[in-house]
Amino acid sequence: RVEFSKDKASAKIQLVMDEGPLTQVRRIRITGNKDFSSLQLVNVISLNTNAPLRLPLLEKSISELKEFYLKQGYLEMQLLNENENLITYNDSGTEANINFRIYEGPQIVVQAISIEGNDFTHSEVILKELDLKVGEVLTVDKFEQATRRLNRLGLFSRVSLRTLEEGTTIANRTVVISISERKPGLFRSGVGLTSE
């Protein structure tokens, strides 16, 4: 609504809004989880029942669930309904039910380590720098740390890590380290300079 002054030099603008009802989180449900109880997972997220539904908190809760699983070695965990049917509302829009449908995937354990692409660098050098051990749970942090440590050596133009059994339900996996060695005579210092 706009009201002008008598001389039309200024205007007063009035906005009339209908906020609608406040939506409360009525129930949080987690399905598909086998290795962790729903209570454990609900305690990981920022959303609470009987509290207002705030979409930034919902986004944060999705990230917290994923991060929790990744830190436990469930590298293939997925939230199956992240983009649809995550929230259902009652007819008046005052209550919301949140339903997280999870695919946990296996907890990945290092069964063996395979190195490919090293013509000059001995496998023992790479294995020592990796700091990955057979029998330990493989997490995203360990994956990233191993990649950083190998890149820091300055011997390789490309480093990638993956598991041989990726996309399967097999928990004990072979970690494949694929590298491309730099040409002899090229070197790279730790601060990012390269020289031929």
Side-chain angles (χ1 to χ4, degrees), residues 67-84:
E67 188 177 327
F68 173 79
Y69 271 97
L70 290 174
K71 284 186 175 180
Q72 307 301 322
Y74 294 81
L75 302 182
E76 296 175 0
M77 177 271 183
Q78 295 175 21
L79 186 57
L80 299 174
N81 63 334
E82 184 172 352
N83 298 319
E84 59 181 41

Side-chain angles (χ1 to χ4, degrees), residues 2-13:
V2 181
E3 295 175 10
F4 290 97
S5 61
K6 289 181 182 178
D7 61 356
K8 307 277 187 188
S10 61
K12 184 179 177 184
I13 300 172

